[in-house]
Amino acid sequence: MLKSKPTTVQILSPEEEQAKFFEEAKNNVLVQGHHMKLSLDNGKLMDALKYASNIINELRTSLLSPKTYYGLYLVAFDYLQHLNTYLYEEKHGKKMIELYEVVQHAGNVLPRLYLLITVGSVYIRTKQAPAKDVLKDLIEMCRGVQHPTRGLFLRHYLSEVTKDKLPDIDTPSESGHVNDSIEFIIQNFTETNKLWVRMQHQAPSKDKERRENERLELRLLVGKNLSRLAQLDGVDQKTYSEVVLPKVLEQIINCKDKIAQQYLMEILIQVFPDEFHLATLDSILSTCGQLQTGVDVKTIIASLIDRLANFATRNSESVPQEIKIFDIFYNNVKEIINQRPNMELQDILGLHVSLLNLTLKCYPTNKENANEVLGLCKTILATKRKEDITKATCTKQIVQLLQIPLEAFKNVLTVLKLSNYQPLISCLSYNTRKKVSLDIVNSTIQNSTIIEEPEDVNSLLETISTLVKDEQDQPDMEDIDKEDFAEEQNKVASLIHLFDSEDPEKLFKIYLVARSHFGKGGQHRIKHTLVPLIFRSLKFIRKLKQQVDDDEISLDENQWNAIGSRIFQFVSETIKALADIKLSELSFRLYLQAMQTFDNCSLVSKIKDLAGKALLIFQEDIADFKAQGAALTLFISTLNSLSIPDEEIYETLAVQTIKQASRLLFQDQSKLISLCSHLFWVDHAKRQYKNEESVLKALKKALHIISNDSTPSLSVFVDILNESLYYVDKNTGAVPAQFIGDLVELIRTTHNKEGDPALAYFQNTIKYIQSQNYSGINV
Amino acid sequence: MFIIVLGDVHVPHRSHGIPPEFKKLLVPEKIQHILCTGNLVSKEIHDYFKFLTSDVHIVKGDLDENASYPDTKVVTIGQFKFGLCHGHQVVPWGDKVSLAALQRQLDVDVLITGHTHALDVYESNGKLFVNPGSATGSFSNITNDVIPSFVLMDVQGNNITVYIYKLVDGAVKVEKVGHTKQ
């Protein structure tokens, strides 16, 4: 006995091992193939068949993974093609029937069948036998191979070499009918699928995952059969519905295999035309209901829905009326969700998204369908836990369900009519509710949707309530980004400009509804939302006044005063809400705006009230000197603009204004007192009030104040000079020429310092005076 | 050199936005400067101007909260000095005599003011006075039936061509006025 030498054992990885087996087998194929070609070149057909048989023998291996096996199959396939071509050229002088007999004697079943198929295909091509008979014979014989991988490739070979020889509609009847082809392909499909499914059960369960991956690599071998069916001209919609589909579905259901069902349903939907699916929706969908647990039914149905929705959009006329696409999908989807209690919520929601897209593409104006989808979703969500609903993947789809109607209808009013819309929002978390509410607001603004009914305003503001008022689950105000918050509230505030109605009663009711909603917003929100409401109310009453003046609306004075009082109450109460939260400068300005409006509307009694409120804020809540100066300037210009006929009220206000001005810093005081001169010279279309004496008095007082300042500013002197010139330019007679001349002289001699930034102002004013040639003024 | 002059936007106080017809015309690459008379009154409008061009000049309107906006501003572009002021500080509002005094004070060639929501472009004493009106055509207690408007100025040497844009019944109307520096 020889003592074996120690050898180094080389351990190969599975990949290296596969490569090694493949190389060996491939070399054998190449060698045998070479001999086969030589024999054919020398006309030795029998030898060639023997070598061909040897080639195929290599395909009997069990060592290769399906992927590697495929590689080897391709090498062998090339040689068989070569043989095929040779046989067709008939140089061998043999009848096909003889050859068909000869190859049946090959020893092994696999080489025998490959050769038989090769010869059989030539047999059909040379028309020496009817296609249908040969096909039938071949498909029967293929049953002889039951090993999954070998069987799969053998049947794939059969399918490949016969694909251009299948009887179709134009084939002469003696060769066969398209039904023969259908039967042939379906049988091959069924058997291929069985083999494919059986692969799953070959490996121990620990290799399940590897096995599943290997199977997926081979799925095309099964799916090809369905594409073949789809390529037959003879498979029209009728044949498809009555013959092809029932058989295919039968196999899909009966194979009870998750991977096969998933793949075959997808490929079925993919390879046949949309019209066919439209005609057979019920069968396909009811099949979906019967698939194994674990099959991703959602993806299958969603892809079908999306395809048909796009089809309907492209060919709106060719969707037959009698096919109720939405109803079929809706009922089936509902049924399937019921049947599959383990279906993931995100998948259920995904189906809703597809359904909603479908109905809005197929029936763009149908609100009921959309509402039904949202309703189904609402019912399902009611049975789910909050933490499942608020998962990001689910939330995203609910948000989509809420966005789709906004985009489709482009009208928030239509969306608000969907009774299931608002309840769906309520299911969401605070931030998501806010996001959806903003989508609604943005859509309304972008589409400039005018909202004319108080109920609709109410419904809109209720729907977006997350933006309108505080909610229990909102974060602390400190944790909210101030800029984002302001931007959101400004958006909400913008909505008010889209609330409009030709009917004044209705419009005022709208403002009351909006006020009651926004009133609940708290100080951070009302700052944004109440201001537009005030301006709209002011615009509203001005327009109403215009309509009364133009006799478009007839109201007697009592009626008008009553309406005016209601609006006044509304406006002043709303401004007060802002004054109460110490938005002093804002509420002061709003009172001034209201004064102008009510003045314009001849509601004089309100002016005194509003002015009083404004002055109170000025005295009590505006502390900063600069802000005081700005506020008082506005008060003066506002008074100047009024048409207020009651001189007593006016003069009281004028006196109060001067009193307030006297409280300011010297510099501001002087400038403001000079502006106060305009309280005594009002000259516009609506009102003339001319008190020359008081004008001059104010200017002199201003001059007196600035002259007594410790560091009098040149610019204030020039301001007073220009203010005085105003009355000269307007030919008022209030300011004597002497006053101007003296003032210029005073500035020149006392305050004209080089380098003063106001020097240009002074020089420009001098130049102007010179250009005007006023009589009596020489500067 | 293109300058956009506009103001009294009042979003969201008095309007829900600058009309889309105007937004279509306001394209970033073509505008070098924005002179704004104020009353935006929100940050979103400020950001929108900044998106159009980096050179944005804004003065404070009576309802602007932004404390960084000055009451008046003088901007030199080419050979022109532009004075900018919202105009609510001018008594009486929009009065040409009072505005002339403001022009003398700011020592400018062109005085731009707003507040009245009434578009106006005129020359006086050799100076140019521009009120671009309200870009949103928003409500005013001073002017009835305001229509949206803004102004585009093309500055070439000593000349300014003023293009006036108005939105009348959904259609943009443009008028042209020329001005030469004296």
Side-chain angles (χ1 to χ4, degrees), chain A residues 483 487 490 494 497 527 531-532 535 539 542 589 593 596-597 637 640 678 722 726 730 761 764 768, chain B residues 12-16 42-44 62-63 65 91-93 95 97-98 101 104-105 107 125 139 141 144:
Chain A
E483 273 190 15
E487 195 176 334
N490 283 340
S494 294
H497 303 294
K527 170 182 183 228
V531 184
F535 277 113
K539 184 176 181 178
R542 273 189 74 132
R589 281 159 176 74
Q593 290 286 341
Q596 296 169 62
T597 303
S637 50
N640 173 279
H678 289 281
N722 274 285
Y726 176 90
K730 296 277 182 177
Y761 183 18
N764 285 339
Y768 174 73
Chain B
H13 282 179
R14 309 189 200 183
S15 165
H16 65 284
S42 53
K43 184 172 175 298
E44 289 82 85
D62 52 334
L63 284 144
E65 273 190 13
V91 192
W93 294 321
D95 190 295
V97 174
S98 302
R104 295 193 284 271
Q105 182 187 357
D107 189 31
N125 274 313
F139 166 76
N141 265 312
N144 282 327

Side-chain angles (χ1 to χ4, degrees), chain A residues 4-24:
Chain A
S4 60
K5 283 179 196 167
T7 52
T8 40
V9 179
Q10 211 184 347
I11 299 187
L12 297 175
S13 72
E15 289 79 25
E16 288 166 337
E17 205 176 48
Q18 280 296 304
K20 186 174 146 253
F21 291 144
F22 175 69
E23 278 310 312
E24 284 170 10

Side-chain angles (χ1 to χ4, degrees), chain A residues 215-444:
Chain A
R215 282 190 63 202
L216 284 173
E217 284 165 3
L218 296 182
R219 63 184 186 275
L220 272 181
L221 303 187
V222 190
K224 267 275 168 64
N225 288 295
L226 296 183
S227 340
R228 289 275 129 76
L229 282 170
Q231 282 155 7
L232 289 175
D233 291 334
V235 175
D236 53 14
Q237 190 178 308
K238 188 168 180 291
T239 321
Y240 173 79
S241 325
E242 291 171 5
V243 183
V244 174
L245 186 67
K247 288 189 176 155
V248 171
L249 291 182
E250 190 190 344
Q251 171 58 23
I252 292 178
I253 294 169
N254 289 344
C255 79
K256 294 196 179 350
D257 177 84
K258 191 177 80 173
I259 294 177
Q261 291 185 333
Q262 178 90 48
Y263 170 67
L264 292 174
M265 286 305 284
E266 280 168 18
I267 204 83
L268 178 75
I269 293 167
Q270 202 183 313
V271 298
F272 287 102
D274 297 321
E275 292 93 330
F276 288 17
H277 298 317
L278 266 181
T280 56
L281 272 183
D282 260 324
S283 321
I284 297 188
L285 290 172
S286 71
T287 303
C288 286
Q290 299 173 59
L291 301 178
Q292 300 297 111
T293 344
V295 174
D296 179 8
V297 175
K298 180 250 158 185
T299 305
I300 298 170
I301 300 181
S303 70
L304 185 61
I305 296 181
D306 295 345
R307 262 191 72 155
L308 295 186
N310 287 331
F311 174 75
T313 324
R314 288 192 313 268
N315 320 281
S316 52
E317 316 81 40
S318 57
V319 177
Q321 285 291 316
E322 69 275 10
I323 304 178
K324 306 276 179 226
I325 307 184
F326 174 75
D327 297 342
I328 296 172
F329 271 112
Y330 180 80
N331 293 328
N332 277 290
V333 164
K334 197 172 164 182
E335 190 63 33
I336 287 167
I337 293 171
N338 272 332
Q339 284 166 357
R340 304 174 86 88
N342 293 329
M343 199 167 183
E344 293 278 346
L345 181 56
Q346 68 180 79
D347 289 344
I348 296 178
L349 292 169
L351 283 175
H352 283 81
V353 170
S354 293
L355 274 179
L356 193 56
N357 271 325
L358 173 82
T359 178
L360 291 175
K361 280 185 177 170
C362 296
Y363 315 101
T365 56
N366 187 317
K367 292 196 286 276
E368 289 74 24
N369 287 352
N371 198 35
E372 242 184 301
V373 176
L374 298 177
L376 180 59
C377 183
K378 183 182 79 174
T379 316
I380 291 170
L381 288 181
T383 67
K384 303 287 175 186
R385 294 177 311 164
K386 182 98 185 169
E387 54 265 42
D388 290 332
I389 297 173
T390 49
K391 265 189 212 153
T393 45
C394 295
T395 293
K396 198 178 141 204
Q397 313 223 49
I398 302 174
V399 169
Q400 255 187 298
L401 284 174
L402 295 164
Q403 282 170 335
I404 292 167
L406 286 174
E407 280 157 26
F409 294 122
K410 299 207 184 312
N411 186 328
V412 73
L413 292 170
T414 314
V415 176
L416 291 175
K417 295 271 183 307
L418 306 173
S419 62
N420 294 315
Y421 192 85
Q422 197 192 335
L424 260 194
I425 300 181
S426 325
C427 303
L428 298 165
S429 68
Y430 178 79
N431 278 328
T432 320
R433 292 203 305 280
K434 204 173 72 176
K435 185 197 172 329
V436 172
S437 302
L438 269 178
D439 288 338
I440 297 172
V441 173
N442 284 328
S443 153
T444 313

Side-chain angles (χ1 to χ4, degrees), chain A residues 420-487:
Chain A
N420 294 315
Y421 192 85
Q422 197 192 335
L424 260 194
I425 300 181
S426 325
C427 303
L428 298 165
S429 68
Y430 178 79
N431 278 328
T432 320
R433 292 203 305 280
K434 204 173 72 176
K435 185 197 172 329
V436 172
S437 302
L438 269 178
D439 288 338
I440 297 172
V441 173
N442 284 328
S443 153
T444 313
I445 295 172
Q446 263 157 30
N447 298 313
S448 292
T449 312
I450 302 296
I451 303 170
E452 299 177 41
E453 297 297 327
E455 307 85 75
D456 289 333
V457 169
N458 188 49
S459 157
L460 172 62
L461 296 179
E462 269 178 13
T463 307
I464 61 161
S465 67
T466 312
L467 289 172
V468 174
K469 59 183 177 56
D470 283 343
E471 304 217 330
Q472 285 192 333
D473 55 349
Q474 76 182 19
D476 283 347
M477 203 57 206
E478 295 85 65
D479 298 333
I480 293 175
D481 184 290
K482 298 274 177 300
E483 273 190 15
D484 288 352
F485 182 85
E487 195 176 334

Side-chain angles (χ1 to χ4, degrees), chain A residues 688-732:
Chain A
Q688 270 86 46
Y689 177 83
K690 298 176 178 175
N691 186 338
E692 294 88 343
E693 211 177 300
S694 296
V695 168
L696 189 60
K697 212 173 127 192
L699 293 172
K700 280 181 173 168
K701 190 176 171 190
L703 200 53
H704 178 72
I705 294 165
I706 193 65
S707 303
N708 287 333
D709 191 355
S710 51
T711 50
S713 137
L714 171 61
S715 80
V716 177
F717 279 104
V718 188
D719 278 341
I720 299 171
L721 174 60
N722 274 285
E723 221 52 78
S724 309
L725 281 173
Y726 176 90
Y727 298 98
V728 178
D729 278 339
K730 296 277 182 177
N731 293 320
T732 62

